[in-house]
Amino acid sequence: MIDESLLLDLKSIGMSEYEAKVYGILTALRVADAREIHEHTKIPRGRIYETLASLVQKGFVVSSGKSPAMYSPVDLTLIFERLKRESVSSLDQLYVRLKNLETESPEPLMQGYKLSTEWTRDNQIRMVLRRAKSEIIFLCNDKEFLKKYSIDIARAAKRVYVYLIMGKKELAEFAPVKCYMGGNDIESSFFRREMSEDSGLVIKLLLIADSRESISILEDNGILTGIFIFPDINARYLSKKFIQEIQPV
């Protein structure tokens, strides 16, 4: 995902080898904890926190400060304006490359991040499934998504409670774990296409983990977009409502 020439350019503005790798992968992921950054960069665990602390100190990365701490890159425009003021040369080309890697700067809403690429969406969904500690709500009405994440869902179900909710009974044959049907509220809010005919917006997948973080995959006129929210202040309410309403297939 991060090529060697980009690492060289990051090192040219004063980053170490480890800092360049962490910052590059974090720019692509948008948000991750230290363990997930270690898994993607293969940097020794003992150096991850040291590297992240250095990037935070230098103003490239911010931390949620909670346990586990979540890290995300500072808005690229602010970073590069600061670097230009400090007379660091040859930044324009690097700025463009990092903006392309990021795809789009996040517009914070309850610490929300837009996941614009398929690689980023897939990795964030799998990371959320892996780091859940107590409960997963997984709403899906799409056969391809069920097949794509079936192995990850089955692995998660060995550690935590997984509520796999779908809108069509015929999708049950693709479910890797026990699955459920939603009630009227879930059906009308998440699974009925006609509810969003005016905008063309369709919810393909909703993942809520531990009543605190969520990923939504939306399709708008054939274009997929992901939204990651941490912390999601609505997650606890939605999780309780879903569990009260669902029935086993």
Side-chain angles (χ1 to χ4, degrees):
M1 183 64 188
I2 310 300
D3 60 55
E4 289 298 323
S5 63
L6 180 56
L7 293 179
L8 288 174
D9 284 337
L10 286 169
K11 288 192 285 185
S12 75
I13 61 170
M15 289 189 184
S16 68
E17 178 81 17
Y18 285 169
E19 288 172 343
K21 287 182 178 180
V22 168
Y23 183 66
I25 203 69
L26 193 53
T27 302
L29 288 174
R30 306 303 304 124
V31 59
D33 63 25
R35 178 180 59 81
E36 292 158 350
I37 295 169
H38 159 72
E39 290 174 353
H40 280 86
T41 61
K42 307 305 180 186
I43 293 173
R45 284 181 178 271
R47 298 297 302 277
I48 286 292
Y49 287 102
E50 175 186 328
T51 303
L52 285 166
S54 178
L55 287 171
V56 170
Q57 184 179 17
K58 291 179 179 179
F60 287 98
V61 170
V62 293
S63 166
S64 69
K66 299 179 180 180
S67 181
M70 303 293 288
Y71 296 88
S72 59
V74 173
D75 181 85
L76 287 173
T77 302
L78 296 176
I79 287 178
F80 278 86
E81 286 302 318
R82 172 173 61 82
L83 291 174
K84 286 177 181 179
R85 288 195 299 269
E86 295 171 354
S87 300
V88 178
S89 63
S90 303
L91 290 174
D92 287 339
Q93 183 177 1
L94 179 57
Y95 176 76
V96 171
R97 294 182 66 189
L98 285 170
K99 289 296 286 185
N100 288 338
L101 179 63
E102 175 190 320
T103 302
E104 183 174 345
S105 296
E107 295 294 334
L109 176 62
M110 295 187 295
Q111 296 189 27
Y113 302 85
K114 188 174 182 179
L115 313 176
S116 298
T117 69
E118 182 179 2
W119 184 90
T120 301
R121 290 192 295 269
D122 283 349
N123 275 278
Q124 285 293 351
I125 288 171
R126 292 189 166 100
M127 288 193 303
V128 169
L129 288 171
R130 285 200 301 269
R131 70 171 169 253
K133 298 187 182 305
S134 60
E135 175 188 279
I136 291 169
I137 308 288
F138 197 103
L139 274 78
C140 187
N141 210 30
D142 186 283
K143 178 177 70 175
E144 296 307 315
F145 277 117
L146 283 173
K147 292 166 65 176
K148 177 183 284 189
Y149 302 113
S150 62
I151 293 176
D152 303 279
I153 294 170
R155 286 174 178 166
K158 295 178 180 179
R159 302 180 293 101
V160 301
Y161 291 107
V162 174
Y163 298 93
L164 178 58
I165 307 170
M166 52 193 62
K168 303 173 186 175
K169 284 188 176 180
E170 55 266 32
L171 292 177
E173 65 177 292
F174 302 103
V177 297
K178 179 180 179 180
C179 58
Y180 301 82
M181 293 291 294
N184 291 333
D185 287 347
I186 296 176
E187 175 69 19
S188 62
S189 299
F190 295 95
F191 289 142
R192 280 188 193 159
R193 179 179 293 270
E194 58 265 26
M195 294 300 293
S196 54
E197 280 182 349
D198 292 341
S199 65
L201 192 66
V202 178
I203 297 177
K204 306 290 284 185
L205 182 154
L206 173 62
L207 169 60
I208 301 175
D210 298 335
S211 298
R212 67 171 188 163
E213 59 183 329
S214 68
I215 294 181
S216 304
I217 305 298
L218 312 172
E219 183 180 58
D220 188 1
N221 296 315
I223 299 175
L224 291 177
T225 301
I227 303 294
F228 176 90
I229 300 177
F230 177 86
D232 187 340
I233 62 175
N234 297 312
R236 185 174 300 277
Y237 167 77
L238 288 174
S239 295
K240 290 179 65 176
K241 186 168 180 60
F242 290 159
I243 293 172
Q244 289 171 356
E245 188 176 334
I246 58 178
Q247 296 293 330
V249 174

